[in-house]
Each structure stands twice: as C-alpha cells, then as structure tokens.
Amino acid sequence: MTDLVLRPLADAFMQVGVYVAVLVALFGWLRWRYGDRVTDGLTHRPRLGPLVGALLGVSPGCGGAIVLMPLYARGKVSFGTVVAALAATMGDSSWVVLAWNPLFALKIHLLLFAVGLVTGYVVDALGIDPARLPRPERAAVPAGKSTAPADVPVPAGASGAALPVGASGPAALAAVGGPDLTGSRRLFGGLLPRVPAATAFWGLTTPAFLVSVPVVFQMVDPAALTDTLGGVDPYLALGVLGTLTAVGLFAAGRGRLADDNLETAHPRSMRETMRHSAHEASFVTVWVAVAYLGWQIVTTVTGFDGSQLALTGLVGVLVGAAIGLIPGCAVQIVFTGLYVSGGLPLPTLVANAISQDGDALIPLAAMRRHSAALATVITTIPAAAVGAALLVLL
C-alpha cells in the first residue's frame, strides 16, 4: 500500500509540489511588481513584439502569455507576437521540469524561446493575421441597450458571464468561477475553520520544503531522519498530507487554474499573489500526482514500462504535437509527468512543449476565436519539425 499509493502521492508533493510552490510565488511576485512595464513598452516598439512575446511566453506558467491576449485583441501587438508567446510557452508543465531538473529545464526553455522567436517573426513577415480580415457587419443595437467598446474586450469566465466592472480579488475570482481560497470550510468541512486555505497551504509547504531539499538532493539519509523522529517518516507524512491539501484546494477551485483569466494574471496585491500561487501550485501538484500514481499502478499491476507505447520515433513526435492542441494545462502536465517518470522520449516531449499553448489560449479564444484556432494550428508546425529534427540529431 505504501509503495503503490502513498509513496507516489508523497513524491508528487515533495519532489515537485514544494518547488513549484516556491517558484510560482517568486514569479508571481515578479509579475505583480514588474509585469506591466514590459507590456507597456510593446506599443512603442512594435518590431520587438515577437521578441517580447517569446520572453513572456517562455516564463514559467501561463501568466506571461496571457497578458498579451487583450493587447492583441485591441490591435496593440501583432499576431506574430501572440504566436511567439504560444510557441515559447510550456504552460504549467514548465514547473514540473523545473522542479525535476533545473538544468534540463533551462535547456528546454532556451529551445522554446528560440522556436517561439523565429516562428513569431516568420508569421509577421508573411503578414498572417486573422484580425485583419474583413468582418461581417454587426446587427444594429436596439435602443436602450449598450455594448462594450470594440477595443476593450471583456473576458468571459467558465460560465460565460462577463467580469463585473471594477471587479477584482475574490469578487473577480467568483465571477469567473474561481475559488474564494479563504473559505477553508469548503476544503475540509470545517476541520480548519479559522485558518485561511492559502495560509494552511504555505504553513505546510514550508516544513515540507525544509525536509525535501536534504532528502531529494541526498544530503541526508531518510532512514536516519526517520529514526531521529522516533520512527515517523517526515518525507512520507508531509508529502501525503501536502498532496491531500493540494487536492482540497483543487476541489475548492473546481479544477480551475488560478491564472487562466485576465484578472488573475494581474494580481493587485501580494496577498492575492500568494493566494493565486497556492492555488496554481496545488493545480500542478494534483495532476503530477495523477501521473505518478497512475504510472505506478500500471507498472506494478501489468509490468508495463512505457516501451510498448507508440510514443517513440516520428509517430511519437506527431502524437506529442497533437496532444499539444488540447487547450489548458492539465493534460500537458500529465504528459510531462510521464516523461519525468521515464515513459516518454525527449523528441516527443519537445514536440508537445512547443505545440501546447497552456491556458493562454482560453482568453484569446474568448476574444478572437479565429485567431486562437489559427495560432494553435501554427504552433504544431514547428513542434513537429523540431521534434523530427531531434530524432535525427539524438
């Protein structure tokens, strides 16, 4: 039971979740502190658009790419800038590889940046932009009704309802179907009635990080640490509890990611940043746990080790690129988790990483459906090409 179920759950949090939490909080703070300075300069230097788009897209998570979408919808940046960001982003799968192997993560992100940069400039050079196509005339608006300005699109939430004017923080999260993460009763049925959910998450992550670092990097013998604590394995205990806490946050958020809309991509305070970071880290942890647990059960019960999958060679590259067409981060996180577990070859992972658009595609689709559809198709082309090239080189 321990090796089959508990150990994979603990590994998901101790090997990935705690590092994701630290990294998400760091990048969340940088986004809150400096994010607008980068995007504001795009309107003054349009030729740098694909370069800045690739830089924002390659940053871990989805927030960097998301902030470009309303700028494109208002005609402030080019379609190539959007494509550069979508090709460069690895979405929240980037947290998985960062936590697993930072040096490998650096290499693959440099590759993603280069692919996004080239793809973005090629798209602009070819003059591709669905937004420039003539649009059908809109029906006249009946008297007494009003519409939002054409150059200020309002993103829709999960229910399709527009964000209330001036909404921010918990109100904005509620408007788009996100969780009020201070409602810990929704997480544990009142077991922690006075502890905000995000506070509970960070209170658990802190000791888990202190235990994970020496254990994961083999600075201490886990058995000796267990003996010191009277037979209690802190790695296993904190890991399982951490994953279960992440599941609670995930359930409270209805399975939604914290920065999959324009409002939460721009946190307005450090408190909001920490709430969003806790939710995003929990989202990644849950799907990594699904990958780890599923892989462990399959290999233990059937002896299946991944070599039987048609995910090698050119077929694997095409499958990875095709899976990248699926919007959102959940499937992509599981796919990356399979690579970390040894179930995928590198060319398949790279093809998926380039093709996937993370949650940035969601607000773009809400504002410019045709542009979103074309952008996600375009990113599969370099994905297949680079993946095939790696097959030859490796």
Side-chain angles (χ1 to χ4, degrees):
M1 178 67 175
T2 298
D3 291 336
L4 183 63
V5 177
L6 298 183
R7 185 64 61 180
L9 293 180
D11 287 343
F13 186 69
M14 300 298 281
Q15 294 181 7
V16 177
V18 292
Y19 301 99
V20 168
V22 172
L23 290 169
V24 167
L26 173 60
F27 279 89
W29 177 81
L30 291 173
R31 187 189 309 164
W32 166 65
R33 184 69 176 81
Y34 300 107
D36 289 340
R37 297 185 182 181
V38 176
T39 55
D40 288 345
L42 280 174
T43 58
H44 304 294
R45 296 178 177 85
R47 291 185 179 180
L48 296 179
L51 172 62
V52 177
L55 285 171
L56 289 173
V58 82
S59 62
C62 302
I66 283 176
V67 299
L68 289 174
M69 303 308 145
L71 296 179
Y72 168 72
R74 293 196 295 267
K76 301 298 184 181
V77 299
S78 67
F79 187 59
T81 301
V82 168
V83 171
L86 295 179
T89 188
M90 198 176 176
D92 284 281
S93 300
S94 58
W95 301 122
V96 179
V97 293
L98 270 169
W100 171 65
N101 189 327
L103 181 58
F104 171 79
L106 175 61
K107 293 178 180 178
I108 195 171
H109 281 78
L110 287 174
L111 176 61
L112 289 172
F113 170 76
V115 172
L117 180 66
V118 172
T119 306
Y121 274 114
V122 168
V123 167
D124 277 352
L126 295 176
I128 301 173
D129 190 349
R132 295 180 181 177
L133 297 177
R135 295 188 170 192
E137 294 293 331
R138 293 185 177 181
V141 179
K145 294 187 178 182
S146 62
T147 59
D151 61 339
V152 187
V154 182
S159 62
L163 290 176
V165 176
S168 62
L173 288 173
V176 296
D180 178 1
L181 295 180
T182 61
S184 55
R185 289 182 181 272
R186 296 176 58 190
L187 294 180
F188 305 109
L191 292 179
L192 299 173
R194 296 183 181 180
V195 181
T199 302
F201 176 84
W202 291 114
L204 178 64
T205 299
T206 302
F209 181 79
L210 296 177
V211 171
S212 173
V213 170
V215 171
V216 171
F217 292 96
Q218 300 180 356
M219 300 165 58
V220 65
D221 183 4
L225 189 60
T226 300
D227 293 338
T228 302
L229 296 177
V232 177
D233 186 345
Y235 179 95
L236 185 66
L238 288 171
V240 172
L241 185 58
T243 297
L244 293 178
T245 302
V247 170
L249 280 167
F250 181 84
R254 305 173 193 173
R256 288 174 55 84
L257 186 60
D259 67 352
D260 64 354
N261 59 76
L262 302 178
E263 177 68 25
T264 53
H266 294 276
R268 297 170 183 259
S269 68
M270 195 59 198
R271 183 178 179 181
E272 286 186 14
T273 298
M274 296 306 291
R275 283 204 306 267
H276 298 159
S277 298
H279 185 50
E280 185 170 359
S282 296
F283 182 93
V284 176
T285 300
V286 167
W287 286 110
V288 169
V290 169
Y292 279 19
L293 182 59
W295 189 252
Q296 183 66 28
I297 291 175
V298 169
T299 55
T300 301
V301 174
T302 69
F304 181 82
D305 61 2
S307 61
Q308 299 89 338
L309 287 172
L311 293 177
T312 58
L314 183 58
V315 173
V317 168
L318 296 178
V319 170
I323 291 177
L325 288 168
I326 301 173
C329 293
V331 174
Q332 319 304 339
I333 290 172
V334 173
F335 201 76
T336 305
L338 289 177
Y339 174 81
V340 172
S341 301
L344 298 175
L346 179 61
T348 300
L349 174 72
V350 170
N352 175 260
I354 297 173
S355 177
Q356 65 168 288
D357 305 315
D359 288 289
L361 198 67
I362 296 173
L364 179 60
M367 295 178 286
R368 295 286 187 269
R369 293 192 308 274
H370 298 299
S371 297
L374 181 59
T376 194
V377 170
I378 287 176
T379 57
T380 61
I381 298 174
V386 174
L390 287 176
L391 287 175
V392 177
L393 296 175
L394 297 180

